[in-house]
Amino acid sequence: MSDQVVQEALGWACHQSEAYCSRIQLGQNCYSPNTLRDHANVVFNTYYQHNKNQAGSCDFHGAAVFTHTDP
C-alpha cells in the first residue's frame, strides 16, 4: 500500500477521535518507532478495538489487514 493511502487512512481515523491517535504523539508510549507504518498500526488497531462491532471498521481503504501476530 502506498504511503499516501496509509497517511490518508491514518488522518481519517485520527479525525474520528483524538483518542485513537493520542498514544502516537511525541512523548507518549507508542511514539517510537516514529514511522508512518508503525503509527498506523497503533491507530488502526485502537480504532478497530473500539469499533469492531460496526460494519467496515477494519477497511481503511485497503491500508490495513487482520493479523494474529504483532507486526
Side-chain angles (χ1 to χ4, degrees):
M1 191 59 48
S2 74
D3 284 352
Q4 180 179 349
V5 171
V6 174
Q7 183 64 57
E8 288 172 4
L10 181 62
W12 178 86
C14 289
H15 182 73
Q16 300 308 301
S17 173
E18 289 182 21
Y20 301 138
C21 296
S22 62
R23 296 179 2 187
I24 63 168
Q25 301 305 310
L26 181 63
Q28 297 301 311
N29 62 338
C30 293
Y31 177 76
S32 292
N34 181 18
T35 69
L36 174 62
R37 305 262 171 184
D38 287 306
H39 285 182
N41 283 333
V42 171
V43 172
F44 295 168
N45 184 56
T46 303
Y47 180 89
Y48 175 75
Q49 293 303 320
H50 285 95
N51 298 285
K52 60 186 166 190
N53 295 323
Q54 296 178 16
S57 64
C58 59
D59 183 275
F60 299 104
H61 298 287
V65 296
F66 281 104
T67 181
H68 295 285
T69 57
D70 188 351

